[in-house]
Amino acid sequence: MGFCTAEQHERFLALCPEFEKYAIEAGIMLIKVWLEVGPDEQERRFHARIDDPLRQWKLSPMDLEVFGRWNEYSRARDMMFKATDSKHAPWYVVRSDDKRRARLNIISHILSQISYKKAPRSKVKLPGRQKKASMTTKPGCGEENSWLRATEVRRPCFKGH
C-alpha cells in the first residue's frame, strides 16, 4: 500500500512479537482481535455507504483502495497473523458479517480474558410512585399535555415562567 518499504515491513513483523512480550511483561493486558468481513458483506456495506449521504463519511479512500486489492490485502493479513500470532499474544478472529453478534462475541471474549471479583450488590427495591404530581403547571398545561409524542419537542410549562 506504500506506507513503508518491504524491508521496514519485514522488520516490523519481526519486532512486533518481542515488543508485545515486553508490554505484557510490564503488566499490560494485550488482547488482539481481527474483525473478519466476507467480500460479499463488505461490498454490500460499501454500496450502502455510497448510496446513503449520512453514511458516506464512513467510506474512506483507503477503503476503496483495499476493496480493489482484496486478494493482496488478504495475503498481507495472513503474513501478519503468521508473524505476530504467539502464545503470549494470540490473535482472535471474529466473523463480523453480523455486526451485532460480532460485537457481543467480542465483549464476551474480552470479559472472559479479564480476571475480576464479583462486586457486592445490595438488593434494589423500586419505591412506589407519588399519587399526584408535586409540581404546579400553568393553566392550560394540564395532565393531557404532559406526555409528548416521540417526535415532539417543546419547553415545559411551569407557573411563574
Side-chain angles (χ1 to χ4, degrees):
M1 303 293 294
F3 295 119
C4 61
T5 66
E7 294 79 23
Q8 290 169 329
H9 183 241
E10 287 176 29
R11 181 168 162 71
F12 170 80
L13 291 178
L15 293 177
C16 192
E18 287 182 55
F19 173 80
E20 290 173 345
K21 189 170 185 176
Y22 292 139
I24 292 165
E25 287 172 355
I28 294 172
M29 178 176 280
L30 179 62
I31 302 172
K32 300 188 300 190
V33 177
W34 180 270
L35 302 175
E36 183 71 28
V37 179
D40 294 339
E41 177 61 15
Q42 185 188 50
E43 185 170 355
R44 186 197 67 74
R45 289 180 190 177
F46 282 6
H47 280 295
R49 291 171 185 170
I50 289 168
D51 297 338
D52 183 350
L54 297 177
R55 291 186 188 174
Q56 284 179 359
W57 66 270
K58 293 181 176 183
L59 196 59
S60 72
M62 178 58 67
D63 290 326
L64 299 174
E65 181 69 25
V66 167
F67 181 80
R69 299 165 82 174
W70 181 269
N71 292 333
E72 184 180 340
Y73 189 74
S74 296
R75 278 193 300 277
R77 175 211 54 213
D78 293 344
M79 284 174 52
M80 179 194 64
F81 283 158
K82 185 176 179 183
T84 64
D85 186 51
S86 62
K87 187 175 182 177
H88 59 273
W91 276 102
Y92 296 95
V93 178
V94 178
R95 283 294 292 179
S96 58
D97 286 350
D98 182 335
K99 287 183 187 181
R100 186 167 186 256
R101 283 190 178 145
R103 289 175 183 147
L104 292 173
N105 285 337
I106 292 167
I107 291 168
S108 176
H109 172 71
I110 289 172
L111 291 175
S112 76
Q113 300 297 302
I114 300 171
S115 60
Y116 58 92
K117 294 178 186 172
K118 196 168 189 173
R121 293 174 36 164
S122 57
K123 188 167 180 146
V124 177
K125 184 179 179 200
L126 190 62
R129 288 209 172 144
Q130 294 175 325
K131 299 293 182 204
K132 288 188 173 187
S134 62
M135 65 177 118
T136 310
T137 59
K138 280 193 218 174
C141 276
E143 190 76 24
E144 73 280 355
N145 294 327
S146 64
W147 301 103
L148 298 176
R149 292 187 298 273
T151 58
E152 186 177 2
V153 178
R154 64 179 173 189
R155 295 180 51 88
C157 336
F158 298 106
K159 273 189 180 175
H161 291 163

